[in-house]
Amino acid sequence: MTKMRRTFVKAAGAAACAAITMGLSALPAFAADVTLRMHQFLPAQANVPKNILDVWADKIEAASEGRIEIQRFPSMQLGGTPPQLIDQAIDGVADIVWTVAGYTPGRFPRAEVFELPFTMTSAEAVSRAYWQLAEETMMDADFKQLKVLGLWVHGPGLIHSKKPIESVSDLNGIKLRAPTRVTTQLFGSMGATSVGMPVPAVPEALSKGVIDATVIPWEVTGALKVNELVDNHTTFGDETLYTTTFIFAMNKDRWNALPDDLKAVIDANSGLEFSGFAGKQMQSDDAGPAKAAKERGNNIITLSEAAVDEWKAAAQPTTEAWVTEMDGKGLDGTGLRARALELIVENSKN
């Protein structure tokens, strides 16, 4: 072999070794056994993704020692619209979804019992009650097509409006965004024109005058910049006008395909305790945006006890109509309502 050829071979070999070394260094330290795609409708920096969903996903990855990877897709990055999330989980478009039960009206009727007006006490207690009632009545019915990981509600729902709203009569002629079937019926019965839409659509609807008001908890107003779009916020003292039920669930086939030890990891970080944590965290996250609205000089309306009583009286027909409707469908609305209230009281004591 000539000297020139030996030099060429040596150089080529060195380049190949370098390429192999670079390739190996570019590989991850480990390859996950299972990759799960988590899909939801809020921006990644919003409170729920940041303080609840990412916390859950990080725990799963750590507890599985990297064998499970959770890919996070915020703001509907996998396509579709928020009302399609449940079917995305069922059909396998996404492996895990977080969504609002009410985005598919009437599909999860038993969950609506926690959305009835003036039912919510604390989000943690109600979230725990929601999970417990689901185990008793919903897992093999409303949720039979899903592997449910968590069920919770947000903190006190309140009214954010362009014009001050204090009495029920102030709702007359107001175009108000409502998140669920129950709240749509509630505000419609009170004189508002209820407009249903997913929460990401609220800022544009307010800015374009499609709606005059919206009902959401404080915690999401920061991400949506609602405090900059309206000047008035109506709160109900120690009472809660309404709340919204959420579903955090997994594709059943993906769940069934997991080895038992990885199922155990997910189960250990899901369920009752996680649901309680999520509800508590959402209510805790109300504080920052509420403070920001006050500092901005917005009008925070705190209704008196007498004023709240007027709203309660106006809301009562919505509750009665729901119970009657569920009874008529054979879903025992009377029993669901009684059991939900019983579970809320029990969890409020703990």
Side-chain angles (χ1 to χ4, degrees):
M1 184 180 290
T2 65
K3 182 177 181 181
M4 181 179 292
R5 179 169 174 77
R6 285 196 302 272
T7 302
F8 174 79
V9 171
K10 183 176 180 182
C17 288
I20 292 171
T21 301
M22 289 176 65
L24 288 174
S25 65
L27 291 173
F30 58 84
D33 295 345
V34 176
T35 299
L36 300 174
R37 296 159 301 163
M38 183 171 69
H39 199 203
Q40 54 88 18
F41 56 87
L42 286 179
Q45 69 273 18
N47 286 320
V48 170
K50 181 175 62 176
N51 297 335
I52 298 173
L53 303 183
D54 284 348
V55 170
W56 179 87
D58 290 346
K59 284 184 176 181
I60 297 298
E61 291 177 341
S64 69
E65 297 181 338
R67 292 176 60 204
I68 298 176
E69 177 189 0
I70 310 290
Q71 295 179 341
R72 299 101 193 266
F73 295 92
S75 300
M76 303 304 300
Q77 287 179 353
L78 291 180
T81 62
Q84 295 172 330
L85 280 165
I86 279 296
D87 283 324
Q88 289 185 356
I90 293 170
D91 298 337
V93 174
D95 301 308
I96 299 168
V97 302
W98 172 67
T99 189
V100 173
Y103 283 174
T104 49
R107 193 157 175 180
F108 305 102
R110 294 170 180 85
E112 291 177 345
V113 69
F114 295 104
E115 298 176 348
L116 294 173
F118 297 103
T119 295
M120 226 277 287
T121 53
S122 76
E124 180 179 9
V126 174
S127 296
R128 286 177 171 272
Y130 180 15
W131 180 270
Q132 290 165 338
L133 189 64
E135 285 196 313
E136 294 175 9
T137 68
M138 302 180 210
M139 295 305 189
D140 297 326
D142 301 50
F143 302 133
K144 64 183 178 183
Q145 293 179 288
L146 299 160
K147 163 63 180 176
V148 181
L149 305 171
L151 300 168
W152 65 89
V153 302
H154 62 60
L158 59 151
I159 303 171
H160 311 267
S161 56
K162 294 180 180 180
K163 297 179 180 179
I165 294 175
E166 297 186 22
S167 67
V168 174
S169 63
D170 290 335
L171 288 174
N172 289 332
I174 296 292
K175 294 175 291 184
L176 180 145
R177 175 264 177 185
T180 65
R181 193 178 76 97
V182 169
T183 49
T184 296
Q185 293 172 349
L186 171 66
F187 290 104
S189 72
M190 290 180 169
T193 299
S194 293
V195 182
M197 66 178 68
V199 75
V202 166
E204 184 177 5
L206 281 171
S207 63
K208 291 186 174 181
V210 175
I211 56 175
D212 309 306
T214 184
V215 287
I216 48 176
W218 278 118
E219 66 87 20
V220 77
T221 59
L224 299 180
K225 302 187 183 303
V226 169
N227 294 343
E228 300 170 22
L229 296 168
V230 303
D231 295 323
N232 302 282
H233 313 272
T234 305
T235 68
F236 290 77
D238 294 331
E239 301 284 352
T240 296
L241 175 62
Y242 84 100
T243 192
T244 299
T245 54
F246 298 101
I247 301 169
F248 186 50
M250 183 174 176
N251 175 270
K252 225 168 187 180
D253 289 339
R254 288 290 276 156
W255 168 258
N256 290 331
L258 292 177
D260 288 345
D261 60 337
L262 293 186
K263 286 180 179 177
V265 167
I266 291 176
D267 276 341
N269 290 280
S270 305
L272 176 63
E273 294 304 320
F274 172 65
S275 298
F277 155 76
K280 183 178 181 179
Q281 184 63 49
M282 281 198 81
Q283 186 159 353
S284 175
D285 286 334
D286 284 341
K291 181 181 178 183
K294 292 176 185 176
E295 291 176 347
R296 190 175 179 274
N298 286 15
N299 180 28
I300 312 298
I301 301 165
T302 303
L303 297 183
S304 67
E305 187 175 335
V308 171
D309 285 342
E310 179 207 4
W311 285 79
K312 282 184 174 181
Q316 186 59 28
T318 297
T319 297
E320 293 172 355
W322 183 88
V323 170
T324 299
E325 179 189 0
M326 294 302 114
D327 283 345
K329 291 181 177 179
L331 299 180
D332 188 18
T334 302
L336 284 170
R337 173 75 170 156
R339 182 58 176 152
L341 294 175
E342 182 181 31
L343 288 169
I344 290 170
V345 170
E346 289 177 3
N347 283 285
S348 297
K349 294 177 181 177
N350 298 333

